[in-house]
Amino acid sequence: MLSAFGRAFRTPDLRRKLLFTLGIITIFRLGAFIPSPGVSYQNVQQCLHNGQTQGGIYQLVNLFSGGALLQVSIFALGIMPYITASIIVQLLRVVIPRFQELYDEGASGQSKLTQYTRYLTIALGLLNATTLVSLARSGQLLPNCQLSIIPDTSIISTILIVITLTAGTGLIMWMGELVTEKGVGNGMSILIFTSIAAGFPTSLGAIWTAQGPGTFFMVIVIGLLTVALVVFVEQSQRRIPVQYAKRMIGRRTVGGTSTYIPIKVNMAGVVPVIFASSMLYLPGLISQFNQPKAGEQMQPWVEWINNNLTRGDHPIYMALYFVMIVFFTYFYVAITFNPEEVSDNMKKYGGFIPGIRAGKPTAEYLQYVLSRITLPGAMYLGLVALIPLIALVLINANQNFPFGGTSILIMVGVGLETVKQIDAQLQQRHYEGLLR
């Protein structure tokens, strides 16, 4: 493996791409520690040092920002607005026919959809920045911290912070696209990978300090087993054989080849986990804005949400989380894989599944296989997402448990895809590649 990396750095073009990607990652991580104008850096660091960082409902956003959210840095919003915008635009293809037409047009139409995604990212960044500044000013971002995060609450200072956070979101989006174009590819995914990986040393160090070496090594063992499981399932697929009939074009015979349709066990990726986390984030956010004033009694529904839907170790929270992940897995697979479209394309180019008639029977067969293989994929996603919540209860690793859930799914998926891309570029230059 080390010799393979050596060959990669000895290839001038690939070395330039790798160094460019590392430079963007360095700038991205540096921005996570630069405080926004008007934010008291000393007070924020004191709150973080005292361990008063239980953001609760903000943990997913803080995860994707590499810890920058709770520091209210210029990159506090991270890549989350872009992820949300991409998912929304993808879902709107089902609702708005014009979006589906643009997608079917090919590169020109998809570039238009990308432009819409950028505009929506800035709009969501502005909305999220306003919410974040409002929570920071009211002291609800870090409820256990009595120090003022934003000492100057004037309109000018507030607008400046909102503009800075929104601009940081746009800059992250631009850097991700630069990595995609001039780096090793998968720019947005690599930035997410960087954000998540940056929190691992801190989390593991906190477990060693609080729980001792026994729990620490137990976490390492659980983490390695989880990574092995995720790699195994992410690489698993059902291959449906496809045969293309021979055709005569002039005096040439074309076709007659055999291939297959790869249907992955986890076709939805990490999107259902993000959907479910976002949905469970909303009740806690609503309850935050309905907290009673001094001397008033808390409303029953607010108290129920605070007791059941804001604590990851609560059975109701775990059950809802699991059920929503399974539901969103089926939902997302249904809108991203269209058996009728695949069947029509196969029929157009003379392809067929051996033993299955072309047309509607092929679409029904693909739907049958898809519905059967999605169930274990949905169960797998739900179980992996629950690993850190179960660890919270069993080994008392607190919220510092770094393995499982969204973090491992993203890191393993991005890592595998990036290695494949580097491997493909090495093989184009007649090398063995990274993987043997």
Side-chain angles (χ1 to χ4, degrees):
M1 179 62 74
L2 293 178
S3 62
F5 278 107
R7 290 195 301 272
F9 274 96
R10 285 195 298 270
T11 307
D13 183 43
L14 192 53
R15 180 176 65 245
R16 184 168 58 251
K17 292 182 178 181
L18 290 171
L19 292 177
F20 180 83
T21 302
L22 292 175
I24 293 293
I25 289 175
T26 303
I27 297 173
F28 175 65
R29 286 305 303 157
L30 181 63
F33 296 97
I34 300 177
S36 300
V39 175
S40 176
Y41 180 78
Q42 291 79 9
N43 290 350
V44 170
Q45 293 304 312
Q46 186 171 346
C47 290
L48 297 177
H49 178 73
N50 294 337
Q52 298 163 330
T53 61
Q54 296 300 321
I57 59 177
Y58 318 108
Q59 286 176 359
L60 180 67
V61 185
N62 193 51
L63 174 70
F64 284 167
S65 66
L69 173 72
L70 297 182
Q71 300 193 49
V72 200
S73 67
I74 59 175
F75 288 168
L77 300 181
I79 205 72
M80 198 65 178
Y82 181 84
I83 296 174
T84 308
S86 301
I87 293 173
I88 290 175
V89 171
Q90 196 168 15
L91 294 179
L92 286 178
R93 284 169 42 200
V94 183
V95 181
I96 302 177
R98 174 59 180 164
F99 279 35
Q100 185 61 41
E101 293 174 4
L102 288 174
Y103 180 79
D104 295 336
E105 287 179 4
S108 60
Q110 291 177 16
S111 65
K112 196 72 174 178
L113 289 178
T114 303
Q115 196 69 19
Y116 292 155
T117 304
R118 293 170 182 164
Y119 294 147
L120 185 57
T121 299
I122 298 301
L124 291 175
L126 185 62
L127 178 63
N128 291 346
T130 305
T131 304
L132 177 61
V133 172
S134 175
L135 293 173
R137 287 178 56 182
S138 62
Q140 295 179 357
L141 182 64
L142 297 173
N144 298 324
C145 183
Q146 303 300 321
L147 301 175
S148 177
I149 297 177
I150 304 179
D152 185 5
T153 58
S154 63
I155 298 296
I156 300 297
S157 177
T158 302
I159 293 176
L160 181 60
I161 298 175
V162 170
I163 293 176
T164 301
L165 295 178
T166 307
T169 298
L171 183 59
I172 291 174
M173 179 175 60
W174 178 64
M175 289 193 301
E177 293 179 353
L178 281 180
V179 173
T180 303
E181 295 174 5
K182 301 181 180 180
V184 295
N186 290 335
M188 299 298 177
S189 300
I190 288 177
L191 293 184
I192 297 174
F193 178 95
T194 304
S195 299
I196 296 173
F200 269 56
T202 304
S203 300
L204 291 174
I207 291 176
W208 179 284
T209 303
Q211 306 295 331
T215 304
F216 174 83
F217 287 111
M218 187 183 301
V219 168
I220 295 296
V221 171
I222 295 175
L224 293 176
L225 293 177
T226 304
V227 170
L229 170 66
V230 172
V231 171
F232 176 76
V233 177
E234 291 295 326
Q235 298 289 81
S236 302
Q237 56 182 224
R238 167 74 182 274
R239 296 182 176 182
I240 300 178
V242 178
Q243 182 73 35
Y244 284 92
K246 293 182 179 180
R247 294 181 296 168
M248 292 295 296
I249 300 179
R251 295 184 177 182
R252 295 168 50 207
T253 302
V254 298
T257 58
S258 299
T259 182
Y260 59 87
I261 302 174
I263 299 182
K264 295 180 64 176
V265 174
N266 179 26
M267 288 191 63
V270 75
V271 174
V273 180
I274 297 175
F275 274 12
S277 301
S278 301
M279 289 295 102
L280 288 177
Y281 161 87
L282 292 177
L285 182 62
I286 294 173
S287 68
Q288 285 275 343
F289 288 101
N290 289 273
Q291 295 297 322
K293 298 180 181 179
E296 296 182 358
Q297 187 175 2
M298 182 178 294
Q299 299 183 27
W301 65 273
V302 176
E303 184 178 0
W304 189 87
I305 289 177
N306 291 336
N307 293 335
N308 301 307
L309 295 183
T310 58
R311 293 170 46 229
D313 58 345
H314 198 281
I316 295 179
Y317 183 96
M318 291 185 181
L320 280 176
Y321 194 33
F322 184 83
V323 170
M324 292 179 73
I325 288 175
V326 172
F327 169 77
F328 281 122
T329 301
Y330 275 93
F331 174 76
Y332 190 75
V333 169
I335 66 173
T336 54
F337 187 90
N338 189 347
E340 294 182 359
E341 182 181 352
V342 175
S343 175
D344 291 341
N345 290 334
M346 290 171 53
K347 187 177 180 181
K348 185 186 302 182
Y349 295 103
F352 62 93
I353 300 174
I356 307 295
R357 293 182 59 186
K360 187 177 180 181
T362 298
E364 292 177 349
Y365 176 76
L366 290 174
Q367 182 61 50
Y368 171 82
V369 173
L370 189 65
S371 61
R372 296 302 185 275
I373 204 171
T374 302
L375 178 61
M379 301 292 289
Y380 147 78
L381 278 179
L383 291 176
V384 172
L386 286 178
I387 285 177
L389 303 182
I390 297 174
L392 174 66
V393 179
L394 296 182
I395 64 176
N396 194 26
N398 207 329
Q399 297 295 342
N400 294 315
F401 189 84
F403 298 102
T406 314
S407 57
I408 287 297
L409 289 171
I410 292 178
M411 290 188 65
V412 172
V414 174
L416 290 174
E417 189 62 30
T418 303
V419 168
K420 287 180 181 178
Q421 290 202 0
I422 299 175
D423 182 65
Q425 295 189 41
L426 279 174
Q427 290 181 351
Q428 287 178 357
R429 294 164 177 83
H430 307 291
Y431 290 122
E432 293 179 347
L434 286 175
L435 303 176
R436 294 185 179 182

